[in-house]
Amino acid sequence: MTRTNLEFKTEVKQLLDLMIHSLYSHKEIFLRELISNASDAIDRARYESLTNSSIMENEGGWQIKITADKEAGTLTVSDNGIGMTKDEVIGSLGTIAHSGTKEFIAALQSKEIKDNPELIGQFGVGFYSSFMVADKVTVLSRKAGAGDKNGVKWESTADGFYTVEDVEKEKKGTDVVLHLKPDEKKYLEEWEVRGIIRKYSDYIEHPVVMDVEHEKESELKKGEKVKIVEEETLNSGKAIWLKDKSEISADEYNEFYKHVSHDFSDPAKVIHFRAEGTSEFTALLYVPSRMPFDIFYKDYRVGPALYVKRVQIMDHCEQLIPMYLRFIKGVVDSSDLPLNVSREILQKNRQVEIINKNITRKALETLAEMKKSEFERYLTFYMEFGRVLKEGIHYDISKRETIADLLLFETTQKTPGTYTTLQEYLDNMKEGQEEVYYITGTSREEITKSPYLEAFRDKGYEVLIMPDEVDDFIMGALGEYKGKKIKSVVKGDIKLDKSDKEKDAGKKLETLIALIKEQLKDEVKDVRLSGRLRDTACCLVADEGGIDPQMEKLLRSMGQNIPENKRILEINPSHPIFEAMNNIFEKDQKSAALEEYIRLLYDQALLLEGSKPKDPVAFASAVTRLMVKDAKKE
Ligand code: ADP
């Protein structure tokens, strides 16, 4: 039989290195990971057996068996689940088969992971944790229902390579054999294994069994004891979500969360409820405390696991929750759906729609409650998932107001790190203020210096600070809150009342404005007097319904073909530059200096909105020319 020697992918090598050399506080979790994999393999086999009875291979019930061999120094986790073909073994145990491999490698090298190796758990490294306690791992596997005994043996000592070879395997499923390191032999002790399983894997639905030695009264010789070996089930196997809330400890909830989410940290919130009436189902859902690294990827797997009467149908069912709640993990167990439900059926199933509606309502209520009574915890949640939650404003009209109530904002009047709700904003509005104002940008620092805020600052109006790229889109979709219009300070006409002096200054500039308009007719849509500037000479603004420069950049970077979006140049009539320009204009309408000033003002306005002058070289040389002129006067 041929044995092939293969090299691990770089990321696996790095991961193994981390597993072996980092001080890791909970080595015993390797057993949880292996049992979890075994349980998943059985779930898949059971599901397939519903439509293909040959999967069963006439074997009795599903089980996971732990075997401790003290002589050989091995601990084996065996399952009679779906098993793997040779290709699957190579695909699953030689690479890291998830979407964010690049991020994963970056994370492996980051200081954060080096200091807290458990963080690596969020990448789903399950199987490789075996190497924390074993110096060699052998996997024997055979695919269920293949009709032959052709199995595969995988083996590695984590030295950068692994071998695969064909072997005969009597039973379907997978055995993972850990050759324990000399100082990890304690995992061969029955009490140790028992303790770990009770702690981490009690809820596993399939029996986790082990041969246990007992002393028994001899039936032949009275008074003498004999040793017998009996198979004992070590877990209670009760589906945790079907238990009564009062029977479940926080630890149990947390352990189950780790099982379903592959996250190593505790969840931020547990949502456990039973629905009766039009649809009968139980949901045990979790709000994680940390953002999964791949939540913005296309192939991020959305939705809780779907069970029908305790049988797992799929591990992620995206029809059960709206996309903007895709951070929620957990289990939904329905009593109404048929066991052979397919993805197609799920798509337009009324029961599924009802479950989705129920979960959405319950999740939003839970978040609202958290915001009200545990604000600090809510804030932590919001910092991680606010960006995702916000998407609901655009996608779920029926919940727009509810989600708007969950939003938090920094504002121009509050110190950094202090957050305001829309309601608090309304309560804080100045007399005479009619609208809710917001400003977008890349950072608070940049935003608060923006000239677009000058008049608002003058009037004492608070402005919401929005640093996420999608914000303009979201606020546009929201449109108004409790009857007050929501407006971007960089878009549309802002009519904060002007003083008579400003109005007079404006009138005088009418002909100059016409000249500016003519000179910049290819660049800007219009030139007008500004209601938002106080100290700055001019700025560019988008139309009321147009997209702001942040959004435009985002869409372009996503490869969208955005048509050229001409902006409006607003000028500040009380700025001395215009009076000076007007004087030149009255003397010589064709003045070259005037033309240069107009060009420079436009370039500055581009810089202020975060864009670049069209010709940076011309801009720089014009500025230096003026500097030279000014310096010579000194
Ligand atoms: P994860 O479980 O997060 O996917 P692992 O590294 O633990 O990551 O496992 C990688 C893959 O190997 C699994 O997704 C599965 O396809 C396969 N696998 C692991 N253990 C088993 C098993 N006992 N039976 C069948 N397949 C398994």
Side-chain angles (χ1 to χ4, degrees):
M1 253 170 248
T2 53
R3 179 187 300 180
T4 325
N5 204 20
L6 294 162
E7 194 171 358
F8 281 120
K9 287 269 158 59
T10 323
E11 65 271 14
V12 181
K13 285 191 203 164
Q14 287 174 331
L15 174 62
L16 287 173
D17 197 54
L18 192 81
M19 284 285 163
I20 296 164
H21 299 295
S22 296
L23 282 178
Y24 192 91
S25 48
H26 304 289
K27 286 191 182 179
E28 79 244 27
I29 57 96
F30 76 90
L31 193 54
R32 167 183 77 190
E33 297 300 306
L34 296 181
I35 291 177
S36 190
N37 282 349
S39 169
D40 290 348
I42 292 178
D43 284 341
R44 284 188 47 207
R46 182 176 55 182
Y47 179 61
E48 283 190 28
S49 73
L50 295 173
T51 47
N52 173 8
S53 58
S54 68
I55 295 281
M56 294 297 290
E57 299 192 357
N58 297 322
E59 217 185 295
W62 306 110
Q63 76 168 18
I64 299 161
K65 180 154 189 168
I66 316 287
T67 314
D69 183 335
K70 285 193 177 161
E71 261 165 54
T74 58
L75 184 72
T76 303
V77 178
S78 308
D79 66 68
N80 53 2
I82 194 73
M84 289 176 274
T85 63
K86 193 179 194 174
D87 285 347
E88 284 168 344
V89 165
I90 294 172
S92 299
L93 308 182
T95 60
I96 291 169
H98 58 60
S99 52
T101 308
K102 219 165 74 193
E103 282 71 16
F104 178 65
I105 294 170
L108 277 180
Q109 288 152 350
S110 73
K111 185 165 159 16
E112 203 192 351
I113 295 277
K114 288 203 170 119
D115 293 344
N116 305 290
E118 48 280 340
L119 292 184
I120 210 71
Q122 61 177 311
F123 294 96
V125 291
F127 168 76
Y128 301 103
S129 62
S130 311
F131 287 98
M132 294 193 296
V133 296
D135 42 28
K136 181 162 92 176
V137 177
T138 311
V139 178
L140 298 159
S141 195
R142 175 167 77 70
K143 193 86 180 173
D148 54 37
K149 305 289 171 214
N150 299 336
V152 54
K153 176 175 168 184
W154 177 103
E155 194 162 77
S156 177
T157 55
D159 57 350
F161 296 87
Y162 62 94
T163 58
V164 276
E165 64 187 294
D166 299 324
V167 289
E168 204 161 274
K169 187 173 184 303
E170 188 59 31
K171 290 193 166 177
K172 69 178 188 301
T174 305
D175 304 333
V176 179
V177 187
L178 308 184
H179 306 262
L180 294 173
K181 292 177 184 173
D183 47 358
E184 305 291 354
K185 294 278 201 269
K186 64 168 183 286
Y187 296 114
L188 296 172
E189 301 297 339
E190 178 208 316
W191 56 269
E192 182 78 34
V193 172
R194 203 185 269 278
I196 301 173
I197 290 174
R198 196 166 310 130
K199 184 165 168 199
Y200 296 110
S201 311
D202 194 56
Y203 54 80
I204 292 283
E205 188 193 337
H206 312 289
V208 180
V209 304
M210 187 160 148
D211 288 338
V212 177
E213 211 176 65
H214 291 294
E215 281 203 340
K216 237 181 157 181
E217 194 83 23
S218 167
E219 287 179 3
L220 299 173
K221 286 189 184 169
K222 275 241 153 26
E224 263 189 38
K225 300 228 171 188
V226 285
K227 283 188 177 166
I228 56 151
V229 174
E230 267 178 342
E231 197 175 84
E232 196 185 319
T233 302
L234 305 180
N235 60 327
S236 74
K238 185 148 188 207
I240 173 173
W241 59 91
L242 297 180
K243 285 200 206 171
D244 202 67
K245 273 186 193 178
S246 59
E247 289 172 35
I248 311 171
S249 69
D251 274 356
E252 273 180 279
Y253 270 132
N254 291 351
E255 277 314 318
F256 184 68
Y257 166 71
K258 291 171 191 174
H259 169 64
V260 286
S261 68
H262 295 277
D263 185 356
F264 269 46
S265 31
D266 290 339
K269 196 81 193 165
V270 180
I271 308 172
H272 188 184
F273 69 101
R274 198 157 296 159
E276 271 149 14
T278 36
S279 176
E280 265 185 42
F281 71 92
T282 301
L284 172 52
L285 305 169
Y286 296 91
V287 178
S289 51
R290 217 194 312 262
M291 173 93 110
F293 72 102
D294 54 351
I295 198 160
F296 289 106
Y297 291 176
K298 264 209 195 99
D299 46 5
Y300 173 75
R301 307 200 50 207
V302 178
L306 174 65
Y307 281 68
V308 172
K309 301 186 190 80
R310 288 198 61 186
V311 176
Q312 183 175 314
I313 306 299
M314 58 189 71
D315 51 7
H316 294 278
C317 179
E318 62 185 47
Q319 285 81 12
L320 292 175
I321 52 167
M323 275 303 271
Y324 63 90
L325 294 179
R326 64 187 178 278
F327 47 84
I328 288 183
K329 311 262 179 179
V331 166
V332 172
D333 192 344
S334 158
S335 312
D336 306 316
L337 290 167
L339 267 174
N340 59 354
V341 62
S342 64
R343 286 201 182 267
E344 291 68 47
I345 294 180
L346 283 172
Q347 227 120 72
K348 23 187 184 314
N349 183 284
R350 214 179 90 76
Q351 291 298 338
V352 173
E353 273 170 29
I354 297 174
I355 298 177
N356 180 313
K357 271 217 173 84
N358 263 287
I359 293 182
T360 307
R361 186 172 37 86
K362 194 82 186 177
L364 293 176
E365 274 170 18
T366 306
L367 293 175
E369 182 54 38
M370 218 167 132
K371 176 165 154 274
K372 202 166 123 204
S373 52
E374 303 174 280
F375 186 76
E376 279 308 308
R377 190 193 277 250
Y378 181 74
L379 183 59
T380 315
F381 154 79
Y382 193 81
M383 291 295 107
E384 292 289 316
F385 298 109
R387 270 179 75 185
V388 180
L389 180 67
K390 263 186 233 174
E391 293 172 13
I393 299 254
H394 176 72
Y395 291 107
D396 191 349
I397 299 173
S398 71
K399 293 280 182 269
R400 199 164 267 177
E401 282 268 320
T402 316
I403 302 170
D405 283 329
L406 291 171
L407 301 180
L408 297 179
F409 307 86
E410 287 200 53
T411 82
T412 47
Q413 292 187 352
K414 304 269 173 4
T415 47
T418 314
Y419 290 85
T420 299
T421 60
L422 282 171
Q423 184 58 52
E424 284 162 353
Y425 180 94
L426 294 193
D427 296 344
N428 197 28
M429 269 174 33
K430 278 256 155 146
E431 181 118 356
Q433 182 183 347
E434 287 305 324
E435 291 160 331
V436 175
Y437 298 109
Y438 70 93
I439 179 165
T440 53
T442 46
S443 70
R444 182 186 170 112
E445 208 191 359
E446 179 199 304
I447 289 173
T448 46
K449 280 190 205 140
S450 167
Y452 295 88
L453 290 174
E454 286 170 1
F456 294 89
R457 205 174 294 132
D458 240 32
K459 289 214 150 273
Y461 288 0
E462 188 167 26
V463 177
L464 302 170
I465 296 178
M466 308 206 60
D468 286 340
E469 286 147 335
V470 292
D471 283 334
D472 190 51
F473 197 50
I474 300 299
M475 295 309 259
L478 187 55
E480 60 171 58
Y481 181 75
K482 304 209 168 149
K484 300 279 180 217
K485 271 196 139 189
I486 299 182
K487 281 193 81 166
S488 161
V489 307
V490 305
K491 287 196 299 196
D493 200 4
I494 297 279
K495 289 197 176 69
L496 307 176
D497 7 297
K498 294 177 177 121
S499 67
D500 289 344
K501 212 171 119 209
E502 279 172 312
K503 283 184 201 150
D504 285 349
K507 275 213 188 85
K508 273 210 241 150
L509 296 179
E510 268 166 20
T511 37
L512 176 65
I513 288 178
L515 176 78
I516 301 178
K517 215 184 280 190
E518 176 57 27
Q519 187 181 325
L520 297 178
K521 66 175 186 293
D522 293 335
E523 269 86 19
V524 302
K525 198 191 280 183
D526 195 9
V527 180
R528 70 178 178 215
L529 297 176
S530 181
R532 64 192 101 208
L533 297 176
R534 287 295 177 268
D535 308 320
T536 305
C538 60
C539 67
L540 286 165
V541 298
D543 262 345
E544 185 85 50
I547 50 175
D548 78 358
Q550 292 291 333
M551 197 66 197
E552 198 175 309
K553 262 182 250 162
L554 172 72
L555 294 174
R556 286 228 166 86
S557 73
M558 281 162 48
Q560 290 207 22
N561 205 357
I562 304 297
E564 184 76 37
N565 205 340
K566 278 196 194 166
R567 296 196 211 295
I568 298 157
L569 182 72
E570 285 196 352
I571 65 169
N572 173 5
S574 31
H575 196 284
I577 182 68
F578 293 107
E579 202 187 325
M581 281 169 72
N582 212 27
N583 287 341
I584 304 179
F585 178 66
E586 278 166 2
K587 278 185 228 138
D588 172 14
Q589 295 196 5
K590 297 225 157 56
S591 152
L594 203 55
E595 193 186 329
E596 175 155 72
Y597 294 161
I598 292 173
R599 162 80 24 213
L600 273 172
L601 283 170
Y602 174 64
D603 282 349
Q604 282 178 26
L606 281 170
L607 284 170
L608 289 173
E609 68 152 23
S611 307
K612 258 182 18 188
K614 264 209 183 116
D615 185 349
V617 177
F619 174 73
S621 64
V623 172
T624 9
R625 202 161 45 242
L626 292 176
M627 284 160 72
V628 171
K629 210 161 128 191
D630 199 48
K632 277 186 180 157
K633 281 198 216 137
E634 294 284 316

